[in-house]
Amino acid sequence: MNDPVPRTVKSVKSRLDTINQSEDFGKRPANVSRVQSHFLVPSDKLDKVTRRVIAPYAQIERKGLKEEEVKEGTYLDINRFNVFLEDTVDLESLLYETANVLKTITNSSGVFLYIVNKLKNEIVLMTQNTKNPERHEVNIPIEEGKIIAAHVAATKTYLHVEDVQRDRRFSEGLKWIDAKVALCMPVVKPDGDCYAVLELYRNYPEAYDHNIVYTVISVSCWAGAAVHQAQERVTLQRTAHLNQELRALLHNYFCDLASLDTMLTDMLAVIKSFVGAMRSSFFIIDKENVSGNLLADMWDDGWGTERSTIPRKKMRVNLSQELTPAGLVAKTGEAINVRDAYKDPRFSKEIDPTTGTVVRSCLVSPILDKKGVIGVVQLTNKTNSQPFSVEDEVVFEVFTSYCSLIVHFNNMQQQKIYHENLNKVYNDLMHLHLSPCRHDMDEIMETNGIILPPSNFKSYNYHISEGSKEDMPGLVCHMFVETFADKKFERESLADFTLTILSCYRNNPYHNAEHAFCFTHTMFLILTNNNGYFDFVETAALMLSGLCHDLDHPGYNNNFLSLCKHPLALMYRSSMLEYHHYFLAKKVIEDKKLLINVPLADRERILEEMKYDILCTDLAIYFQVRAQLTPLVAECCFDWTDNTHRSLLKGILMTTSDLSGCCKPFGVSKAIAESVYEEFYKQGDKERRMGYTPLSMMDRRRSVNQPAEQIQFLSVVVLPCLLLLQNIFPNTAQLTENCRKTQEAWHEEIEIRGQKLWRQDDSIGSASRTRLMLKADSEIN
C-alpha cells in the first residue's frame, strides 16, 4: 500500500474531538424523545378531568336560583363557610357569628360558644368581643357528668336535654343560666379533635324537633370540616413559605456563597420568626471526640427580648452533663414538646443569667442519620406565653429536615477537608519515595542522559533481554532524544522522569518495566520509520503513553479487581487499571515538570491524548476500535484529515506495541508468554481460593493447553491488529512476519508434545477427551 499522504504533511487534531473519542469509542448517541412521564394528563385538560373524577363526591359548581324563584324567608346560607378558606381568618369570630345564626333559625333563647383548649384540657367561654386580646376568659375543665358543655367536649357526642333542671346526670346543668331545654353540639374536625362546643338553649319547655337537630348537626359538621381545612391551609402556607426561605439559604450555603456560621444563624432567625419563639438553638454533635461525653458546637441567636441582634455562638457545650431538654434529646434520639420545663423534674431550673428569662416551654428535635443522633435543634418559649402547639410541631418538622441536610453536608465538608490534607501528606510521601536514587541520576547523566544503543536496536527483533537491563533508562532517553531531536525535553528532567517511571513498575512476572520498555521500543520504531504522519502533540502522547501504559500494575486484570471489589473497581466503572495508569502518569509528568517547555495548550492536549491512548490498551476497547477501523481500511476509505480515523489508528498503534512481545523471535516470545502465564496462574490460584473456577488460560491445572491457547490468541487478537496496521504502514510487515513465525513455532511445539490442536469446529467425545488428558498427564509427569 502506498503512502497515504506526503510525509511533510502535518495534521492538527482538535481537543474536542480527542475528548469525545476518549469518552465514547465510536458509540453514537441514541435519539431519545423527551417524554414528560409525570404528566399523565395534559395540562390543558387537567381541570376538566379533575372535575369529572370528583363530581360524584362533591358539587363543583352550583347555579343559584333565578331572581323570580328566590323564596323569601329566614334561611342559613352555607356559602358563608367559604370565608373559612381565605388566607387569613378569625375562626373564633366566624364560629360565634354562626352560633348566633343558628340561634335565630332554631328559635333558641340564647347560645353559648366554647373553644376547646387541648393543652390545658379546658373549654373557654367565648364572648362577643372576640377581637379584644385582653378579654376575661372563663375556663371550665373538660370532664364527664357535671356540666353539659364540658361533658360534650369530653365525649364528642351531641346532647339534646329536654328538661335541664330535672336531668340528674349534670349537677351544674348549663352552668350560666337556668334553661328548660338545651341542645349541645360538638364541632369535631375530620381528624377527630373537638375544636369547639355550641350550646343552644330555650327558656320555655319546648324541645327541639328532629329537623332542627338535623340542621344543627349538619352545620356543625360543615364547621368542623371548614375549621380543619382552614387550619391545614394556614399550616401549608406557613410550611411552603418556610420551604422557600430555607431553600434560598441552602442554595447560598451549598454553592459556597455563605459560611456555616452565617447559614445557621440566618436559619435560626427564620424559624424563630415563623413559630413565634423567643430563642432558637442549633447543636452539632462532635462524633469524633473520645472523651465519652456528648460534646457539641452550639449556635443560638439569643433571646428575643435582648436588644442586641448579633447572633451568639457558644463554641462548645457538654450535653451529657447538663440537665436540659437538648441533652435529653441528644441521648434518647426522640423529639419532645415540653409544656413547662421549669416544673419538669427531668430538667434543671434554667434561668438565663443575662436576661433573667425563665425557660418554660421548649420544642426540641433530634437530627438523625443511620448511626444515631448527629445534632439537635431547640426552640424555647413562645412570645405569647403559650406552649408550642401541634401546628408548631408540623412547621418545626420541616425545619428539622433541612437541618439534617446541613449537618450531613457539614460532616461531608469536614471529611473532605480531612482527606484533602491527608492526600497532601500522602502526596509528599509519594514524591519522596518516587525520587530516583542520586547515584542512578549521576550515572545516567555521566553520558548526558543517553547511552549508545546496540547495533540491532533499530530492528523489531531487538529485546532488552539481549543486553543489560540496567541500560533501560539510558535507552529510553535515547529514544526520546531521537524522536524529538532534544527540542522539548531537558536532558536532566527526562532522565529524572524515566528513572521514576521505571521504578513505579512492580516486580510482576510480565507487567513490569521490561514490558514497558518493549512497548516503548516498538512504538519508537513505528513512529520514526513513519515520520511526519503525526504532529508533535500526538507523537509525544504516544511515546509517553507507551512508557507509562502499565504503571503500578498489580498483576491482576480488571475482571479480578471487580470480583474482589478492589478500590480501583469502586472508583471507575470500566477500564479500572487503565484509568489508574493514566492518573499516575499524569501525576509524575506534572511533579517532574517534564512538559515545562511545552506551551500550555499543547501540554493539555498531550494529557488528553495520553488518556485516550492508555485506555486503548484495554483489549475490550481494542475490539471496538478494530471493528470501526477494519471497514475503513477494507474499502480504502481511511482519511488522514479525519480526526476520528486518526484516533482509531492510534488505538491500533497502542495495541500493536502492547502485544509486540508476540512478534519477537520465538525464543524471546516464548519466554514472554511463559511470564504471562505465570502471572495468569497466580490470579487463577487466588480465584480458586475465593471459590471461583478460573478461566482456562488462568488455570494452572490446564497448563498443557498453553501452545494451543497461544495459537488461538495470535489468530484472533494479534494478527488482525498487525494486518490492519500493515495496510496503513507497510513497513511494519516484519511484525506480521514474526508473528506468523511464532505461530508456526507453537504448532511445532504441539507436534513435539504429541498434542492435537483443538479447533472450535472440532468435536471430541468425552471418552476420547479423557484418554487425551490422561496421555497428556502421563507425558508431563
Side-chain angles (χ1 to χ4, degrees), residues 231-352:
Q231 290 178 335
E232 290 295 313
R233 183 188 181 95
V234 171
T235 302
L236 286 174
Q237 287 177 336
R238 292 175 67 193
T239 56
H241 189 189
L242 180 61
N243 271 310
Q244 183 178 359
E245 294 289 336
L246 295 180
R247 281 201 304 270
L249 292 174
L250 284 177
H251 179 268
N252 291 334
Y253 178 49
F254 289 154
C255 294
D256 291 332
L257 300 177
S259 65
L260 179 66
D261 291 353
T262 303
M263 175 68 193
L264 290 179
T265 50
D266 286 350
M267 288 188 65
L268 292 175
V270 168
I271 189 61
K272 188 173 75 170
S273 173
F274 268 78
V275 178
M278 296 180 64
R279 182 182 184 183
S280 53
S281 306
F282 195 105
F283 303 83
I284 295 182
I285 296 176
D286 182 7
K287 307 293 288 187
E288 302 296 330
N289 81 89
V290 294
S291 63
N293 295 321
L294 277 174
L295 302 180
D297 293 329
M298 185 188 84
W299 289 260
D300 71 67
D301 61 349
W303 290 97
T305 55
E306 292 182 277
R307 295 181 180 180
S308 175
T309 59
I310 301 177
R312 299 182 303 170
K313 178 185 176 183
K314 187 176 181 180
M315 293 301 297
R316 209 68 166 170
V317 293
N318 190 343
L319 295 177
S320 58
Q321 294 181 356
E322 300 178 3
L323 299 177
T324 59
L328 177 63
V329 170
K331 296 173 186 176
T332 62
E334 298 180 359
I336 57 175
N337 186 352
V338 182
R339 311 295 183 190
D340 195 338
Y342 197 75
K343 295 181 180 180
D344 197 314
R346 297 175 297 176
F347 314 118
S348 60
K349 296 177 175 59
E350 185 178 350
I351 301 177
D352 188 87

Side-chain angles (χ1 to χ4, degrees), residues 608-625:
E608 291 169 0
E609 288 271 345
M610 284 184 63
K611 182 178 182 181
Y612 170 77
D613 293 342
I614 293 177
L615 286 176
C616 284
T617 59
D618 186 350
L619 284 182
I621 295 177
Y622 154 69
F623 285 111
Q624 300 176 27
V625 172

Side-chain angles (χ1 to χ4, degrees), residues 29 135-136 139 154 175 208 356 387 419-420 429 466 546 618-620 776:
R135 65 179 180 270
H136 177 66
N139 306 325
K175 180 74 175 178
Y208 292 99
H419 287 290
E420 283 178 349
L429 182 64
E466 299 176 4
D618 186 350
L619 284 182

Side-chain angles (χ1 to χ4, degrees), residues 62-77:
R62 295 182 61 180
K63 295 181 179 180
L65 296 176
K66 297 179 181 179
E67 291 186 5
E68 60 272 19
E69 296 179 0
V70 174
K71 298 181 180 179
E72 296 182 359
T74 304
Y75 66 97
L76 180 65
D77 187 2

Side-chain angles (χ1 to χ4, degrees), residues 127-399:
T127 60
Q128 185 173 2
N129 188 10
T130 58
K131 295 184 179 180
N132 182 8
E134 298 179 357
R135 65 179 180 270
H136 177 66
E137 289 186 353
V138 180
N139 306 325
I140 304 173
I142 296 176
E143 57 184 343
E144 298 182 27
K146 192 173 182 181
I147 300 174
I148 295 178
H151 179 89
V152 169
T155 61
K156 300 177 185 177
T157 305
Y158 82 93
L159 280 177
H160 182 197
V161 183
E162 298 182 1
D163 193 341
V164 176
Q165 296 178 353
R166 295 183 180 182
D167 196 318
R168 298 183 178 181
R169 294 176 296 173
F170 309 104
S171 58
E172 297 186 21
L174 264 62
K175 180 74 175 178
W176 315 112
I177 192 170
D178 294 332
K180 304 296 183 182
V181 180
L183 178 60
C184 200
M185 189 70 59
V187 178
V188 181
K189 299 189 295 182
D191 59 6
D193 287 341
C194 183
Y195 179 78
V197 176
L198 293 172
E199 191 176 58
L200 299 165
Y201 64 90
R202 287 176 176 175
N203 291 329
Y204 53 93
E206 180 181 345
Y208 292 99
D209 60 24
H210 174 73
N211 291 331
I212 291 178
V213 173
Y214 179 78
T215 300
V216 175
I217 291 175
S218 301
V219 173
S220 298
C221 290
W222 274 97
V227 166
H228 177 75
Q229 188 163 350
Q231 290 178 335
E232 290 295 313
R233 183 188 181 95
V234 171
T235 302
L236 286 174
Q237 287 177 336
R238 292 175 67 193
T239 56
H241 189 189
L242 180 61
N243 271 310
Q244 183 178 359
E245 294 289 336
L246 295 180
R247 281 201 304 270
L249 292 174
L250 284 177
H251 179 268
N252 291 334
Y253 178 49
F254 289 154
C255 294
D256 291 332
L257 300 177
S259 65
L260 179 66
D261 291 353
T262 303
M263 175 68 193
L264 290 179
T265 50
D266 286 350
M267 288 188 65
L268 292 175
V270 168
I271 189 61
K272 188 173 75 170
S273 173
F274 268 78
V275 178
M278 296 180 64
R279 182 182 184 183
S280 53
S281 306
F282 195 105
F283 303 83
I284 295 182
I285 296 176
D286 182 7
K287 307 293 288 187
E288 302 296 330
N289 81 89
V290 294
S291 63
N293 295 321
L294 277 174
L295 302 180
D297 293 329
M298 185 188 84
W299 289 260
D300 71 67
D301 61 349
W303 290 97
T305 55
E306 292 182 277
R307 295 181 180 180
S308 175
T309 59
I310 301 177
R312 299 182 303 170
K313 178 185 176 183
K314 187 176 181 180
M315 293 301 297
R316 209 68 166 170
V317 293
N318 190 343
L319 295 177
S320 58
Q321 294 181 356
E322 300 178 3
L323 299 177
T324 59
L328 177 63
V329 170
K331 296 173 186 176
T332 62
E334 298 180 359
I336 57 175
N337 186 352
V338 182
R339 311 295 183 190
D340 195 338
Y342 197 75
K343 295 181 180 180
D344 197 314
R346 297 175 297 176
F347 314 118
S348 60
K349 296 177 175 59
E350 185 178 350
I351 301 177
D352 188 87
T354 305
T355 63
T357 307
V358 177
V359 176
R360 288 293 186 187
S361 60
C362 56
L363 189 59
V364 193
S365 178
I367 303 171
L368 303 170
D369 67 358
K370 60 183 180 181
K371 295 182 180 179
V373 181
I374 57 176
V376 176
V377 188
Q378 175 175 327
L379 298 178
T380 307
N381 290 10
K382 293 200 68 173
T383 54
N384 60 5
S385 301
Q386 296 294 322
F388 292 95
S389 64
V390 177
E391 290 75 15
D392 294 332
E393 294 179 10
V394 174
V395 174
F396 193 55
E397 185 177 355
V398 174
F399 177 75

